[in-house]
Amino acid sequence: MTQLTRLFCLATTILFLSCSQNQDHPETDNLFKFKEYISYNTYGNTSIADPVEIVLSKPLEQFEITQEIDKDFIKISPKTEGKLLVDNSRSLVFQPKEL
């Protein structure tokens, strides 16, 4: 009976420790920090050939339409070559380089 009790205690301890550990989840998208600035964006897994669109809540006044701007304004993972364009007064589009 003592072996059965020890086995039960061991199983309970293992179960308790495995359930109570703080699960380290990868850092989630920090887009929610910028929700007052961004009204829409391309999300999820997309092809490296598809453009990425970011629609802003307020119009851009410092850039001209169809102007290419520095791609360091956004971070794309995995790193992809391409150019960042102002599509209209409220949209930025990252157009990947043709393969």
Side-chain angles (χ1 to χ4, degrees):
M1 188 70 162
T2 57
Q3 283 186 332
L4 185 60
T5 305
R6 288 180 187 169
L7 183 61
F8 178 73
C9 289
L10 179 63
T12 305
T13 304
I14 291 173
L15 181 64
F16 178 74
L17 289 176
S18 66
C19 292
S20 67
Q21 287 181 346
N22 186 6
Q23 300 288 330
D24 290 329
H25 298 289
E27 185 177 327
T28 58
D29 196 358
N30 64 357
L31 188 62
F32 294 113
K33 293 179 185 178
F34 304 101
K35 67 181 177 183
E36 67 183 82
Y37 305 106
I38 299 174
S39 63
Y40 171 80
N41 67 293
T42 304
Y43 61 94
N45 294 332
T46 60
S47 169
I48 60 171
D50 292 340
V52 176
E53 183 179 9
I54 303 168
V55 179
L56 305 173
S57 299
K58 298 178 183 175
L60 295 169
E61 297 175 358
Q62 66 269 37
F63 301 113
E64 295 178 22
I65 296 175
T66 68
Q67 176 183 354
E68 184 175 347
I69 58 177
D70 189 15
K71 62 182 175 185
D72 291 334
F73 279 104
I74 60 174
K75 180 180 177 185
I76 298 177
S77 179
K79 190 170 182 164
T80 306
E81 293 296 321
K83 55 186 175 179
L84 183 61
L85 302 169
V86 178
D87 188 33
N88 60 40
S89 64
R90 292 181 54 207
S91 296
L92 298 174
V93 175
F94 178 78
Q95 185 63 49
K97 185 177 178 180
E98 296 277 333
L99 295 177

